[in-house]
């Protein structure tokens, strides 16, 4: 998950309140058959509300390939802005996937899917990593913008946003990409998936035009790749404040009017809900950066103060100032 603090900075409480914002044992099988059994993974995705500075921009390995992506803010030339590359060697021999890839990459270590934009709109492409060959999969259309959100098995999920900035309104939908066949299908309206694990996903029902609390929904993936709503985890969560870690999903529940924040944990299926910690203090509060035994609680007042929360004890201890 991403970090709200790095998105808004120390001097941004006012801005914060109003700103827009499976390895398969198939060694003897042909490469094509292996590719169809390997799970896909989303790399360098921009979930709604994310700040690129908080993403994992380092080298990531899927299968036998290492992948890199260039943050446009760090690019020295237009050609390297959003440039995605891959190599079988960690430190050399990188080949280009594409530049200006601002919607994430989906790969299983044999193929890589990505989205490019032009005057004709968004287009989905597929690259065979071994040969380097690229083919057009589907024209996604001129309206709306697309980004990869999560993946589950052979399916990847694209979020499509339509935003009218004049009226500050918009809609969001989720499309299923079958990475074996290349087919794209609408599976859920009013759905934006931001994290997934063990056959479950969490998402939100609207475009984030302003930073505000909103319902967090838990979904289950069906075998066909469609989605089934399991439950609403909370009606008052933040996008940066929900994450799957291990066999649990962690999420914050907030009441800004009362300056309260509560941290909860449930199984990935949404059962055995347990309150882990709670805080009451002036300023904006947000649990984030979830790990296996701890997370952080960020407090926004005249400056950003960061606290360490220990799940086992529920204790919150000051860590550092941002």
């Amino acid at each position: 998950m991403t970090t709200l603090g790095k998105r808004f900075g120390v001097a941004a409480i006012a801005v914060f309140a109003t700103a827009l914002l499976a390895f398969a044992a198939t060694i003897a099988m042909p490469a094509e058959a292996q590719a169809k059994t390997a799970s896909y993974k989303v790399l360098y995705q921009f979930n709604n509300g994310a700040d690129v500075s908080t993403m994992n921009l380092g080298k990531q390995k899927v299968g036998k390939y290492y992948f890199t992506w260039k943050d446009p803010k760090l690019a020295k030339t237009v050609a390297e802005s959003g440039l995605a590359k891959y190599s079988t060697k960690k430190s050399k021999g990188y080949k280009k996937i594409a530049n200006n890839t601002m919607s994430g990459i989906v790969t299983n270590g044999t193929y890589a899917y990505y989205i490019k934009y032009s005057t004709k709109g968004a287009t989905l492409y597929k690259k065979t990593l071994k040969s380097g060959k690229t083919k057009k999969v589907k024209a996604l259309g001129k309206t709306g913008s697309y980004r990869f959100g999560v993946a589950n098995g052979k399916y990847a999920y694209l979020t499509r946003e339509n935003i009218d900035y004049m009226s500050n309104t918009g809609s969001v939908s989720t499309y299923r990409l079958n990475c074996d066949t290349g087919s794209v299908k609408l599976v859920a309206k009013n759905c934006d998936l931001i994290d997934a694990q063990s056959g479950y996903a969490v998402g939100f029902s609207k475009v984030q035009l302003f930073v505000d609390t909103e319902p967090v929904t838990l979904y289950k993936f069906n075998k066909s790749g469609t989605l089934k709503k399991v439950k609403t985890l909370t009606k008052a969560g933040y996008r940066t404040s929900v994450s799957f870690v291990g066999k649990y999903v962690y999420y914050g529940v907030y009441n800004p009017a009362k300056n309260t924040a509560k941290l909860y944990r449930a199984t990935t299926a949404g059962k055995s809900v347990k309150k882990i910690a709670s805080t009451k203090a002036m300023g904006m509060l947000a649990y984030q950066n979830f790990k296996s035994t701890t997370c952080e609680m960020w407090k926004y007042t005249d400056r950003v103060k960061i606290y360490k929360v220990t799940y086992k004890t529920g204790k919150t201890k000051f860590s550092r100032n941002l």
Side-chain angles (χ1 to χ4, degrees), residues 54-68:
T54 69
M55 292 165 48
N56 179 5
L57 299 181
K59 294 176 181 177
Q60 299 188 43
K61 189 177 184 182
V62 180
K64 66 178 182 179
Y65 291 102
Y66 291 91
F67 295 83
T68 66

Side-chain angles (χ1 to χ4, degrees), residues 253-269:
V253 178
Y254 305 96
N255 187 331
K258 295 184 178 181
N259 300 306
T260 61
K262 298 177 182 179
L263 176 63
Y264 287 86
R265 182 185 74 188
T267 65
T268 52

Side-chain angles (χ1 to χ4, degrees), residues 151-162:
N152 181 65
K154 67 179 181 180
Y155 299 110
Y157 296 82
L158 297 107
T159 295
R160 180 177 184 267
E161 295 177 328
N162 278 305

Side-chain angles (χ1 to χ4, degrees), residues 9-292:
V10 175
I13 299 303
V15 175
F16 180 87
T18 59
L20 176 62
L21 292 204
F23 177 75
T26 55
I27 296 176
M29 295 173 63
E32 182 73 15
Q34 290 187 36
K36 290 188 176 183
T37 57
S39 294
Y40 282 79
K41 182 179 180 180
V42 182
L43 307 180
Y44 312 118
Q45 70 266 48
F46 286 80
N47 288 324
N48 197 5
D51 185 332
V52 66
S53 65
T54 69
M55 292 165 48
N56 179 5
L57 299 181
K59 294 176 181 177
Q60 299 188 43
K61 189 177 184 182
V62 180
K64 66 178 182 179
Y65 291 102
Y66 291 91
F67 295 83
T68 66
W69 181 82
K70 191 69 172 182
D71 180 351
K73 292 185 294 185
L74 302 178
K76 296 180 180 179
T77 65
V78 174
E80 69 174 12
S81 177
L83 176 61
K85 299 188 294 183
Y86 69 102
S87 174
T88 56
K89 306 291 184 180
K90 189 174 183 180
S91 302
K92 62 181 180 180
Y94 279 85
K95 300 177 182 179
K96 176 181 176 180
I97 296 177
N99 62 345
N100 291 319
T101 51
M102 305 302 292
S103 302
I105 302 165
V106 172
T107 183
N108 66 345
T110 300
Y111 304 107
Y113 284 89
Y114 60 94
I115 298 168
K116 294 282 286 185
Y117 287 88
S118 68
T119 55
K120 296 181 179 181
T123 303
L124 178 67
Y125 292 90
K126 177 182 180 181
K127 179 181 283 290
T128 301
L129 299 177
K130 184 177 181 178
S131 67
K133 292 183 179 179
T134 300
K135 72 173 184 178
K136 176 181 174 180
V137 177
K138 183 179 180 62
L140 299 174
K142 290 186 177 181
T143 60
S145 61
Y146 293 81
R147 52 184 163 79
F148 289 111
V150 301
N152 181 65
K154 67 179 181 180
Y155 299 110
Y157 296 82
L158 297 107
T159 295
R160 180 177 184 267
E161 295 177 328
N162 278 305
I163 301 176
D164 183 346
Y165 290 103
M166 296 295 292
S167 62
N168 286 327
T169 59
S171 63
V172 63
S173 302
T174 291
Y175 288 75
R176 180 203 67 194
L177 164 64
N178 185 323
C179 296
D180 284 352
T181 66
S183 66
V184 178
K185 180 181 179 180
L186 174 67
V187 291
K189 294 183 178 180
N190 303 315
C191 176
D192 180 7
L193 301 181
I194 64 167
D195 198 12
Q197 185 168 282
S198 302
Y200 291 86
V202 285
F204 295 81
S205 61
K206 61 183 180 181
V207 173
Q208 186 184 38
L209 295 170
F210 300 97
V211 178
D212 198 2
T213 58
E214 52 184 315
V216 182
T217 302
L218 178 68
Y219 297 91
K220 182 179 181 179
F221 294 112
N222 295 318
K223 289 183 178 181
S224 63
T226 56
L227 296 169
K228 178 183 178 181
K229 180 178 177 180
V230 177
K231 65 188 296 185
T232 299
L233 293 175
T234 175
K235 294 182 179 179
Y238 290 127
R239 289 172 181 261
T240 60
S241 198
V242 56
S243 180
F244 289 103
V245 180
K247 59 183 180 180
Y248 299 108
V249 57
Y250 294 86
Y251 57 97
V253 178
Y254 305 96
N255 187 331
K258 295 184 178 181
N259 300 306
T260 61
K262 298 177 182 179
L263 176 63
Y264 287 86
R265 182 185 74 188
T267 65
T268 52
K271 299 179 180 180
S272 302
V273 177
K274 178 183 178 181
K275 186 173 77 171
I276 295 175
S278 61
T279 300
K280 183 174 184 178
M282 295 295 293
M284 171 69 199
L285 305 172
Y287 294 104
Q288 46 206 23
N289 293 339
F290 298 96
K291 298 180 180 180
S292 59

